[in-house]
Amino acid sequence: MIHEKDSTTEQQILEAAERLFYERGFAMTHTTDIAREVGCNQALVHYYFRTKEKLFESFFERKISLFISAFLLAGNDAVNFEEKLKCKIEAHFEILRANPRLPFLLFNEISTNPKRVEAFKAKFSQLPRPMLEKINAELQQEESKGNIRKVEALDLLLSIVSMNVIMFIASPIIKVVSGASDEEYDRMLERRKKENVLIILKSLKP
């Protein structure tokens, strides 16, 4: 019997897989668990995604697209470069805030399954290039005006990602050391977002 694919069911499977990947990691999540979470049979999960690996790749690709869109789309209506960059840094931070367990999951999967790095490289290596080219062009333009020092787009992105991501990777430690409640930690995140913007903008000054 031939089934017609339903985007709603596909989305439900992706969302269930995301919850379980975060909770258990890739290795300890099984397609039977995902099917049970959705309320369908295992065959339907395989019908949409074939394998658990393909499902993880779909989940990961969706998240990577979100991160890239934060840099490509955020702040495009800003009146100047600093305001545009501020919007991009904050957009990236907010995506992490909405997906706080994603960095830990990715680092864990890469450290426990080194072959995944090559698989990600083969599938996603072309995605960041337009973003890097666009940011590099803007940086060169600002440098030519004397507004910023010379800096490569990749170095700038590494600074943004590393400064933003630490609050989410290290959140259990930070909460214990600071004794912050969830509400206090939310306020801390907001302060950190603003601080990251200030630090990065100041670091670009000539």
Side-chain angles (χ1 to χ4, degrees):
M1 181 178 179
I2 299 176
H3 297 271
E4 184 176 341
K5 287 193 174 181
D6 177 9
S7 60
T8 302
T9 302
E10 185 175 359
Q11 182 65 23
Q12 288 175 341
I13 292 171
L14 269 171
E15 290 173 356
E18 178 177 336
R19 289 192 296 273
L20 292 173
F21 286 147
Y22 282 151
E23 181 182 328
R24 307 178 185 181
F26 176 80
M28 298 302 294
T29 299
H30 306 286
T31 52
T32 51
D33 302 321
I34 296 168
R36 190 178 302 113
E37 186 86 0
V38 176
C40 67
N41 57 48
Q42 186 181 8
L44 195 59
V45 176
H46 288 290
Y47 173 69
Y48 280 95
F49 295 99
R50 290 171 45 203
T51 65
K52 185 176 71 168
E53 187 73 33
K54 294 290 184 185
L55 180 50
F56 189 84
E57 286 180 7
S58 295
F59 151 75
F60 182 72
E61 185 171 8
R62 185 174 61 158
K63 296 303 180 182
I64 288 295
S65 296
L66 275 175
F67 280 98
I68 292 175
S69 67
F71 287 103
L72 287 178
L73 302 178
N76 287 343
D77 296 331
V79 295
N80 57 51
F81 174 77
E82 281 200 359
E83 184 62 28
K84 179 184 288 189
L85 184 56
K86 173 179 178 291
C87 290
K88 292 182 185 300
I89 296 167
E90 290 178 342
H92 176 257
F93 193 96
E94 289 303 323
I95 289 173
L96 286 168
R97 197 200 290 245
N99 299 272
R101 290 180 289 181
L102 181 62
F104 180 80
L105 172 64
L106 296 183
F107 287 138
N108 184 61
E109 291 304 320
I110 288 169
S111 63
T112 57
N113 185 4
K115 291 182 180 179
R116 195 179 294 286
V117 177
E118 289 303 316
F120 286 164
K121 182 179 177 181
K123 189 171 182 63
F124 306 117
S125 61
Q126 299 301 315
L127 287 177
R129 286 192 178 182
M131 175 182 68
L132 290 174
E133 290 170 0
K134 180 176 175 60
I135 295 175
N136 256 329
E138 292 177 343
L139 290 172
Q140 289 168 10
Q141 186 178 28
E142 290 299 307
E143 183 194 351
S144 69
K145 296 177 183 177
N147 293 335
I148 65 170
R149 64 181 175 83
K150 181 176 177 57
V151 62
E152 295 294 326
L154 182 58
D155 292 323
L156 175 60
L157 291 181
L158 287 172
S159 295
I160 294 170
V161 171
S162 60
M163 291 184 68
N164 280 347
V165 81
I166 189 63
M167 289 299 291
F168 302 96
I169 289 181
S171 62
I173 297 173
I174 296 171
K175 286 180 179 179
V176 169
V177 171
S178 67
S181 65
D182 289 341
E183 288 185 1
E184 289 169 335
Y185 195 71
D186 281 340
R187 290 195 291 272
M188 192 187 301
L189 287 176
E190 197 61 30
R191 291 198 307 272
R192 193 69 240 170
K193 180 175 67 174
K194 294 176 181 177
E195 189 70 15
N196 288 353
V197 169
L198 288 174
I199 291 170
I200 291 167
L201 290 181
K202 286 183 178 180
S203 75
L204 294 177
K205 294 299 182 182

